[in-house]
Amino acid sequence: MCFAISRDRSLVFKIESVSRIPGLVARLRDVVVSPAGPARSQAAEEFLEAARQLYDLLVAPAGALLSGKRRLIIVPDRYLTAVPFEVLLTPERVAGALSWQQLPYLVRHFSVSYAPSATVYAQIRETGHRPGRRKELLAVADPVYEAERLQAQPILQLIAASTTRAGFERLPYTAQEAAAVARLFPASRRDVLLRQEATEERFRELASANTYANVLFSVHGIASARYPQFSSLVLTRLPASPDDGMLQVDATA
């Protein structure tokens, strides 16, 4: 079932042909990850078919409710968490030879964002109205990574089969990226955590004391389809810290 909700309306519809969706998602992602593979023309056909069918199944039935809207917030479930909804294809016809730039992507019609659940989205909206200091930016970048420490983490051991490596190298240029973004905002309205300061503890401290309009993470991440609750952003872990340096959606983790 799919629930579509706007400010003044709501509807529920049954998703047809559910059994086809995992295969369509896999085909779509294969092309998005490697669009210029050896069989480019075949990849383009695969993408066109998968992106249009997923739009027809997941978005088109809510068309009347979405009419005139500009923001689309997706709360996906199961394999739909792997769908980049921005690249689904709407029904418009494109004149002339097709190119990747000309395709009628969903993102041409909506600003698309995501939430892990309706409850989390509601809590985020409440947080935006809470009392406290309001700032423009919190940037976390260029953490300190130690392969020996990361390999010993229970979370990494648990999901090792779903990750490509157990240790992480330093991410080049992420400090420069954070600095460049920070310069867009007044010094009093921004916080930047780099290297030894880019810890889970410091992030939680600032996030609990301030409300930020923008948050930037330039760090390694771990995503696990088998254990999604352990998907994490990998931050600095100081030797004496009680935190494991794995920042997860669950604030109590």
Side-chain angles (χ1 to χ4, degrees), residues 85-102:
F85 278 79
E86 292 88 341
V87 301
L88 299 191
L89 297 179
T90 57
E92 297 98 299
R93 294 186 177 275
V94 179
L98 288 179
S99 70
W100 295 113
Q101 292 80 12
Q102 293 175 303

Side-chain angles (χ1 to χ4, degrees), residues 36-84:
R40 183 177 177 85
S41 60
Q42 180 181 349
E45 289 300 323
E46 290 278 331
F47 174 82
L48 290 173
E49 183 179 357
R52 284 173 174 159
Q53 289 189 35
L54 285 170
Y55 175 87
D56 290 342
L57 291 170
L58 303 175
V59 182
L65 185 144
L66 298 176
S67 178
K69 305 296 190 297
R70 294 299 302 162
R71 295 185 62 209
L72 183 60
I73 301 168
I74 306 292
V75 182
D77 186 39
R78 298 180 66 189
Y79 31 74
L80 296 183
T81 58
V83 176

